[in-house]
């Protein structure tokens, strides 16, 4: 059985993870799942990088010990990966004993070999990136990676003879074009090495939060030396030679573009010093940006993936990330683009295909399908397209062209929808002489959905399984790509299940004002259904709701950053609010009670998981709460920090 080993970077638990981190892990997960579909023995590793000065400083500022601090944040990482259906085989925390042993052993081996020596480090350090820089590498006097100020450090330190390996690393990169992908990153690394590599400082004495240097306990191991070796820990480097042989060298280290340097220069040098083979590939993906800007707390544009999952579900988020962004390039995240994709690709294209197919099989053939007895030109064309889709998918996924593979699968979804229109099963059902044609159409549609279910498993595992189960098929966990290749693999006379909705459409209703008391006159014209619903609602006013119902409403303290009137309205204000890292726009019917300037800087309470609604052409992503007696209205405010929960 072929083996496949893929890793994500181990994330710093200095803060909660944002959607950019979720992007990286989702890609790795899709690739791992694809290789499992190929029936390979896959090991997929992620984890947390818990030592270093930044974590020690952050914990101190929070008034807790470093381990208390990281325990809490790392539990959040693990919860996020579970909710995002991440299928990692191990989660490595650098604070674990098994990892300490590996780091200390590696340090000792390289020291004994003579590639580590003691000296004095005098230079510049970026604490957020945990990176050493020389004067000429700085950009405008600041860290070239994150743009933040660097500080001078001078301390006794151990050095790794990185410079000894520069020629061998350069040669390796030049002789192995697939070692660093994409090519743009490869070229950057070649230039970086050609400017000369200095020996790397690999120990610190000015703080304690790290793994002690085995030969000199007043030093702790430099956090990147500690972190990079994580890739060896869980695959049996010290304790399971067989497992180690199976999974090392690693197939892909998937990392963000700014840390390709650590993985394609420093890490290979460490491995060379250990006489270990180099990873087959370091893939540097681009950044997920929001309106062109990198996410950061200070810019207030950080997007919390947990909230997105609460609102839209994990599969929709995964689909968006994998489809919308070309791997290797930076890509933009926007809620509106996400909603558009959910409505068009998921609810409409995929959801309708499944629904129409199962409905017709139920209605016309009592839920049964039969192996085709006829073959028309439309069938041949559909089956050829299916084969072509699988071939393209296999090649594209194998080459990390993930968004292209996703697009191809959706082209096949569209193709299958078109096949329904071409073969017109509803018309065939009216003609007794066309029974075989009808039966062939329904079989081929079910077969297409079976294929689609397997192909989308790496992108949307929960949806894939739902489709499989609705088709009445068994044992999805063991489905492989080879099953999908067998187009007519469903047995003659098979019975399908009943259709259930996969993705509800996200309605962004065009509404005038959300104040329930004063329904706008225009709304009254919109039909009786709406007013009937209103009556039903008011009848329900006194009914009790469960605590579970109440807890579905996420209330948070947010700060109003900006407020302005919505043109041509009397009641509406457009507010920009800060949720504690994330900025949102909302429209609120409070203009008669508050002037925009009175609102700016106020901390108010907001429902943050309300379905978006379009109000006067502006998409409103939430609602602020106010008390009202019919005449006066007062916003609910709080002096607690932004992001505080209201329960
Ligand atoms: N701890 C180191 C990695 C050590 S690996 C041996 C680290 N951690 S990090 O938490 O700062 O970043 C982890 C990864 O998240 C990096 O690959 C980084 O590129 C990625 N991302 C951080 N913000 C991102 C986006 N906005 N978009 C995409 N990826 C992003 O570096």
């Amino acid at each position: 059985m072929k083996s496949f080993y893929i890793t994500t970077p181990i994330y710093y638990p200095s803060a909660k993870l944002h959607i950019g981190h979720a992007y990286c892990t989702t890609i790795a997960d899709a690739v791992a799942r694809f290789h499992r579909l190929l029936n390979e023995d896959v090991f997929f590793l992620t984890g947390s990088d818990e030592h270093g000065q930044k974590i020690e400083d952050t914990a101190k500022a929070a008034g807790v010990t470093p381990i208390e601090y990281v325990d809490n944040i790392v539990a959040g990482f693990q919860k996020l990966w579970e909710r995002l259906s991440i299928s990692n085989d191990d989660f490595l925390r650098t604070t674990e004993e098994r990892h300490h042993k590996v780091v200390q052993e590696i340090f000792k081996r390289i020291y004994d070999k003579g590639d580590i020596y003691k000296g004095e480090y005098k230079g510049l350090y970026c604490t957020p990136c945990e990176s050493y820089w020389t004067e000429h590498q700085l950009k405008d006097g600041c860290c070239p990676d994150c743009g933040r100020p660097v500080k001078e450090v001078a301390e006794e330190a151990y050095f790794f003879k990185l410079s000894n390996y520069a020629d061998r690393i350069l040669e390796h990169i030049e002789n192995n074009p697939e070692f660093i992908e994409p090519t743009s990153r490869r070229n950057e690394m070649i230039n970086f090495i050609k400017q000369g590599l200095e020996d790397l400082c690999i120990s610190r004495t000015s703080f304690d939060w790290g793994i002690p240097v085995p030969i000199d306990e007043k030093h702790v191991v430099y956090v990147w030396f500690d972190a990079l070796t994580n890739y060896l820990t869980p695959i049996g480097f010290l304790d399971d030679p067989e497992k180690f042989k199976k999974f090392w060298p690693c197939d892909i280290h998937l990392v963000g573009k700014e840390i390709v340097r650590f993985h394609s220069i420093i890490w290979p040098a460490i491995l060379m010093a250990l006489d270990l083979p180099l990873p087959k590939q370091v893939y540097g993906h681009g950044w997920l940006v929001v309106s062109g800007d990198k996410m950061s707390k200070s810019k207030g544009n950080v997007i919390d993936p947990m909230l997105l999952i609460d609102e839209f579900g994990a599969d929709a988020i995964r689909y968006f990330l994998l489809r919308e962004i070309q791997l290797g390039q930076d890509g933009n995240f926007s809620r509106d683009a996400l909603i558009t994709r959910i409505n068009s690709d998921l609810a409409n294209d995929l959801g309708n295909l499944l629904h129409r197919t199962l409905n017709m099989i139920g209605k016309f053939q009592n839920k049964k399908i039969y192996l085709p007895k006829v073959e028309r030109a439309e069938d041949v064309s559909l089956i050829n397209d299916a084969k072509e889709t699988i071939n393209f998918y296999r090649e594209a996924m194998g080459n990390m062209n993930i968004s292209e593979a996703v697009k191809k699968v959706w082209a096949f979804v569209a193709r299958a929808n078109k096949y329904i229109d071409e073969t017109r099963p509803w018309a065939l059902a009216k003609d007794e002489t066309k029974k075989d044609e009808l039966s062939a159409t329904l079989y081929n549609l079910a077969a297409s959905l079976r294929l689609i279910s397997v192909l989308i498993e790496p992108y949307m595992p929960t949806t894939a399984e739902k489709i499989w189960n609705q088709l009445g098929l068994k044992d999805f966990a063991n489905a492989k790509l080879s099953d999908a290749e067998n187009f007519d693999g469903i047995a003659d006379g098979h019975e399908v299940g009943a259709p259930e909705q996969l993705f509800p459409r996200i309605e962004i209703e065009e509404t005038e004002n959300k104040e329930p008391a004063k329904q706008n006159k225009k709304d009254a014209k919109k039909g009786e259904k709406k007013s009937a619903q209103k009556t039903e609602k008011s009848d329900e006013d006194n009914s009790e709701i469960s605590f579970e119902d109440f807890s579905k409403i996420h209330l948070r303290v947010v700060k109003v950053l900006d407020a302005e009137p919505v043109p041509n309205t009397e009641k509406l204000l457009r507010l920009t609010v800060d949720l504690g890292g994330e900025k949102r726009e909302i429209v609120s019917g409070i203009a008669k009670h508050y002037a925009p300037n009175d609102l700016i800087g106020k901390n108010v309470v907001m429902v943050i998981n309300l379905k978006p609604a379009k109000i006067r052409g502006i998409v409103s992503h939430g609602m602020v709460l106010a008390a009202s007696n019919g005449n006066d209205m007062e916003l609910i405010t709080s002096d607690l920090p932004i992001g505080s929960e209201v329960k």
Side-chain angles (χ1 to χ4, degrees):
M1 203 177 187
K2 196 170 172 284
S3 62
F4 182 80
Y5 181 25
I6 183 163
T7 66
T8 71
I10 48 174
Y11 301 94
Y12 288 132
S14 42
K16 279 197 323 191
L17 295 179
H18 59 57
I19 190 74
H21 304 114
Y23 168 62
C24 176
T25 306
T26 302
I27 300 163
D29 186 65
V31 176
R33 286 175 180 274
F34 165 71
H35 283 268
R36 289 194 197 104
L37 279 186
L38 297 180
N39 208 19
E40 292 176 12
D41 192 358
V42 171
F43 196 82
F44 167 26
L45 178 67
T46 187
S48 46
D49 186 0
E50 305 186 14
H51 294 124
Q53 188 163 9
K54 181 163 131 190
I55 305 279
E56 189 177 277
D57 293 349
T58 315
K60 206 178 271 169
V64 290
T65 63
I67 193 69
E68 281 169 344
Y69 188 81
V70 293
D71 276 352
N72 178 35
I73 302 254
V74 171
F77 287 11
Q78 287 168 324
K79 180 90 203 142
L80 172 62
W81 299 148
E82 194 189 313
R83 293 216 48 215
L84 198 56
S85 306
I86 300 300
S87 63
N88 51 305
D89 295 288
D90 203 338
F91 186 99
L92 186 282
R93 297 185 58 178
T94 54
T95 45
E96 288 174 78
E97 182 58 28
R98 59 174 175 160
H99 181 64
H100 280 210
K101 282 195 195 143
V102 168
V103 173
Q104 294 195 323
E105 174 65 22
I106 288 175
F107 196 105
K108 254 178 57 208
R109 282 193 201 177
I110 302 180
Y111 181 78
D112 290 344
K113 192 177 176 187
D115 275 345
I116 290 178
Y117 62 92
K118 198 158 148 179
E120 196 194 48
Y121 182 76
K122 240 179 138 198
L124 304 162
Y125 195 73
C126 172
T127 306
C129 294
E130 303 281 10
S131 292
Y132 295 99
W133 296 108
T134 59
E135 192 76 48
H136 80 266
Q137 287 171 326
L138 300 185
K139 220 161 123 196
D140 304 325
C142 290
C143 169
D145 277 351
C146 73
R148 281 175 278 206
V150 290
K151 64 176 185 192
E152 288 209 15
V153 290
E155 54 191 61
E156 177 191 277
Y158 285 89
F159 286 83
F160 170 53
K161 286 187 186 165
L162 182 62
S163 55
N164 272 4
Y165 293 93
D167 293 346
R168 269 178 73 191
I169 295 167
L170 187 59
E171 199 183 306
H172 185 82
I173 295 175
E174 285 180 333
N175 291 345
N176 297 277
E178 74 296 345
F179 177 58
I180 304 174
E181 289 278 4
T183 315
S184 54
R185 304 277 161 256
R186 182 169 170 261
N187 296 337
E188 267 171 35
M189 291 307 112
I190 292 175
N191 287 338
F192 192 90
I193 301 172
K194 285 189 171 161
Q195 282 167 26
L197 293 183
E198 294 182 5
D199 287 348
L200 179 72
C201 177
I202 53 162
S203 78
R204 304 286 310 268
T205 52
S206 51
F207 64 93
D208 299 326
W209 184 235
I211 299 175
V213 166
I215 49 159
D216 189 346
E217 300 243 326
K218 72 173 191 290
H219 290 249
V220 292
V221 176
Y222 169 47
V223 65
W224 270 101
F225 189 92
D226 164 354
L228 287 163
T229 58
N230 95 86
Y231 300 130
L232 301 181
T233 305
I235 51 160
F237 174 59
L238 287 185
D239 52 11
D240 191 344
E242 213 148 278
K243 187 173 182 186
F244 191 69
K245 203 165 137 214
K246 187 180 208 179
F247 291 114
W248 195 260
C250 175
D251 290 270
I252 301 176
H253 288 313
L254 181 70
V255 300
K257 60 183 181 183
E258 85 286 13
I259 59 169
V260 169
R261 186 168 61 88
F262 292 94
H263 287 81
S264 60
I265 299 175
I266 297 176
W267 181 223
I270 295 173
L271 290 165
M272 283 173 181
L274 291 169
D275 290 321
L276 286 176
L278 304 193
K280 293 179 199 154
Q281 185 167 93
V282 175
Y283 197 106
H285 65 74
W287 284 335
L288 199 61
V289 295
V290 178
S291 312
D293 256 352
K294 196 173 179 214
M295 265 172 274
S296 80
K297 256 198 153 166
S298 53
K299 285 185 202 133
N301 60 355
V302 176
I303 292 176
D304 181 346
M306 277 293 200
L307 294 179
L308 285 180
I309 297 171
D310 286 346
E311 199 172 348
F312 302 107
D315 275 9
I317 313 296
R318 291 174 61 110
Y319 175 77
F320 178 83
L321 295 174
L322 295 165
R323 148 108 202 199
E324 197 81 0
I325 298 142
Q326 207 188 327
L327 195 62
Q329 316 271 325
D330 287 353
N332 204 50
F333 179 85
S334 100
R335 284 171 69 87
D336 290 352
L338 169 67
I339 291 170
T340 305
R341 283 268 166 240
I342 294 174
N343 285 346
S344 75
D345 301 11
L346 305 184
N348 203 40
D349 297 349
L350 181 61
N352 276 345
L353 177 64
L354 179 70
H355 203 262
R356 289 165 92 188
T357 300
L358 293 182
N359 243 348
M360 289 190 293
I361 297 174
K363 197 159 133 202
F364 301 144
Q365 291 187 171
N366 206 14
K367 291 190 168 181
K368 296 268 178 59
I369 51 171
Y370 304 94
L371 282 165
K373 295 199 184 94
V374 292
E375 193 172 66
R376 299 152 295 177
E378 295 90 342
D379 308 326
V380 175
S381 153
L382 178 80
I383 294 166
N384 280 342
D385 283 348
K387 283 191 190 132
E388 210 246 315
T389 302
I390 300 172
N391 292 340
F392 183 96
Y393 171 89
R394 187 192 282 277
E395 177 92 10
M397 287 299 290
N399 291 326
M400 304 287 279
N401 287 327
I402 299 173
S403 57
E404 293 309 308
V406 181
K407 283 179 201 154
K408 187 73 181 178
V409 177
W410 255 259
F412 184 67
V413 171
R415 174 70 190 87
N417 271 319
K418 188 167 152 236
Y419 173 80
I420 301 182
D421 301 336
E422 284 170 0
T423 56
R424 299 166 46 83
W426 54 89
L428 298 174
K430 288 189 191 137
D431 184 343
E432 254 311 289
T433 66
K434 300 277 195 240
K435 252 174 125 176
D436 287 349
E437 275 96 328
L438 173 64
S439 181
T441 291
L442 297 180
Y443 186 93
N444 288 334
L445 283 171
S448 299
L449 276 160
R450 174 173 165 275
L451 165 63
I452 289 164
S453 150
V454 175
L455 297 183
I456 67 171
E457 194 274 343
Y459 317 141
M460 303 199 294
T462 309
T463 305
E465 187 165 4
K466 277 189 193 161
I467 297 176
W468 189 266
N469 292 342
Q470 288 187 38
L471 286 169
L473 300 167
K474 299 264 174 313
D475 204 15
F476 181 68
N478 288 323
K480 299 287 169 214
L481 193 60
S482 52
D483 298 316
E485 275 173 325
N486 183 9
F487 188 77
D488 49 9
I490 309 180
D492 196 37
H494 172 84
E495 184 170 327
V496 301
E500 277 168 41
Q501 193 178 45
L502 292 178
F503 292 92
R505 273 185 71 79
I506 314 276
E507 295 300 341
I508 302 187
E509 30 175 304
E510 186 79 47
T511 138
E512 275 295 306
N513 187 349
K514 307 196 87 186
E515 263 184 278
K518 300 170 201 157
Q519 195 194 352
N520 197 292
K521 276 186 194 139
K522 256 195 202 164
D523 272 1
K525 273 201 274 166
K526 281 190 186 162
E528 279 159 23
K529 205 164 163 212
K530 232 180 172 177
S531 55
Q533 280 169 357
K534 289 228 172 230
T535 323
E536 245 173 60
K537 259 211 176 130
S538 58
D539 286 349
E540 276 173 14
D541 274 352
N542 293 327
S543 65
E544 290 170 342
I545 60 164
S546 67
F547 180 71
E548 212 184 0
D549 285 337
F550 172 70
S551 55
K552 283 185 195 152
I553 305 171
H554 294 182
L555 298 167
R556 296 273 192 288
V557 176
V558 304
K559 185 183 277 313
V560 180
L561 299 175
D562 202 7
E564 57 181 53
V566 174
N568 306 321
T569 68
E570 285 176 11
K571 286 186 273 181
L572 301 182
L573 290 183
R574 176 193 198 134
L575 308 181
T576 310
V577 297
D578 181 358
L579 270 69
E582 181 191 343
K583 268 190 207 161
R584 291 254 189 107
E585 286 235 304
I586 60 168
V587 176
S588 180
I590 50 172
K592 288 201 166 160
H593 308 275
Y594 288 90
N597 278 346
D598 297 341
L599 290 168
I600 297 173
K602 249 191 192 349
N603 279 13
V604 296
V605 174
M606 173 172 138
V607 183
I608 59 165
N609 62 338
L610 195 68
K611 228 186 225 176
K614 208 179 235 178
I615 304 172
R616 287 294 176 107
I618 304 165
V619 180
S620 177
H621 297 283
M623 182 172 76
V624 289
L625 298 190
S628 167
N629 61 7
N631 295 320
D632 300 320
M633 185 179 272
E634 197 175 88
L635 285 168
I636 315 286
T637 57
S638 165
D639 290 332
L640 285 180
I642 312 175
S644 301
E645 274 183 53
V646 180
K647 316 186 201 195

